[in-house]
Amino acid sequence: MTGLAVVIVSVLAMGVAAIVTWPDAGALAAGASRADGDVAGDVAGDRPRPDEALPAARATTAALVPDRTLPSSAPVAGGPGVQVTPPRLLAISPATVPAETLRKIATLPHVQKVAVTDGGAVHVSGTALRLLAVDPAQFRSWTPKRVAEHPEVWSALARGELVADSGTIKRLGMALGVDYQIDGGPRLRVAASASLGLPDIDGLVSRDVGQRLGFPGGVVVLVHGDPGKVDRDAVARLLGKGAQVVQIGAESERPPKAAAPQGQALVGRPESYLELYQRSATVCPGLSWTVLAAIGQVESSHGRNNGPSSAGALGPMQFMPATWKSYGVDGDGDGKADIWSPFDAVPSAATYLCANGAGQGGEKLRKSVWFYNHSWDYVNKVLSLADAYARTYAS
């Protein structure tokens, strides 16, 4: 691995002017506070109370069209990255890899998937810190399953923070929650750590952060395919002189844990989104399923865009992780409350709305939707869309 480390430092560091200074422990600043955004983002007790009068609905109902097909389609459990495709090869190129080269790699025998991302190096007290700069939504499936399913990893990247490999945290004595000043650049907060399973890669940042650090683009290639059968030499030849290619072993699996005992299903696992919204509404007597359907369409188009959002909201109903800890429920009785699962997220949204008075209707309903997202325009849009659902799906 030494050769790869040298290439990453010497090749990717070109154009990287930023250097991380590692101050004494006493000089380290505590992690900066962040704004979580307004999407399902307030835990009980911390919510602001709007004093102004509730405005009349301003949304144009005719412009809000309910989805006529997705509510009747099957919900898909799990968010981005559940179907992981771990890399079998990690390649570092001395220059941006052309699209034509990527296509050629993709056609090699036993290759199933190819991706390219940005990468670069900073230094910590003279020690190189090699980072990948990634798009969280696209990169998620390239990480081990337990990492892909960890919400805080992806919300941290969405917030522009650093996710460090757990080995790097231990090797360098880094502290979670601490901001490190990039010399001539931004401060980076080490927000999470995870076993990434990528040789000589010390951590992840978002692509935007990588650009601010001056990382070269499109120089790191990941190849997924049949284990042990992807031709490393053929990939190296296609990438050309100066490229380094490392084979990555299969992800080491922890001993399986005993399955959590099955609990009583709150809503079960309905065969359609329409039925899921209808069942979930019963969690909050007085709440119409059409409100849940409207929120589901606005937030994720019924699970088609599960985030993370720019504010770090996750899953089909776009919960902030902190709010999920208080209101997330196990809807299908599998023993866990999964923010990515629609069978848990939709009844959790009903629970959250109900805690804010949604079941009482009228102005209480409007306020409950406002608590979900602190925008009266959002409230008007959701409730007008709910009315449109009621008309479209009237029995």
Side-chain angles (χ1 to χ4, degrees), residues 88 109-112 224-230:
R88 307 303 180 192
H110 305 292
V111 171
Q112 299 172 9
H224 171 75
D226 299 329
K229 295 183 179 181
V230 179

Side-chain angles (χ1 to χ4, degrees), residues 29-118:
S33 62
R34 65 177 180 86
D36 280 340
D38 291 329
V39 182
D42 293 294
V43 178
D46 294 329
R47 307 186 191 103
R49 298 176 62 86
D51 296 325
E52 69 273 19
L54 301 181
R58 295 189 300 272
T60 303
T61 303
L64 299 172
V65 180
D67 193 312
R68 294 176 178 272
T69 56
L70 278 176
S72 299
S73 62
V76 178
V82 170
Q83 299 297 324
V84 296
T85 52
R88 307 303 180 192
L89 298 177
L90 171 68
I92 307 297
S93 171
T96 299
V97 180
E100 180 60 27
T101 299
L102 295 174
R103 284 193 288 268
K104 290 179 179 179
I105 294 174
T107 61
L108 291 174
H110 305 292
V111 171
Q112 299 172 9
K113 182 179 176 182
V114 177
V116 65
T117 190
D118 306 341

Side-chain angles (χ1 to χ4, degrees), residues 159 273 343:
R159 296 192 301 265
Y273 259 105
F343 305 113

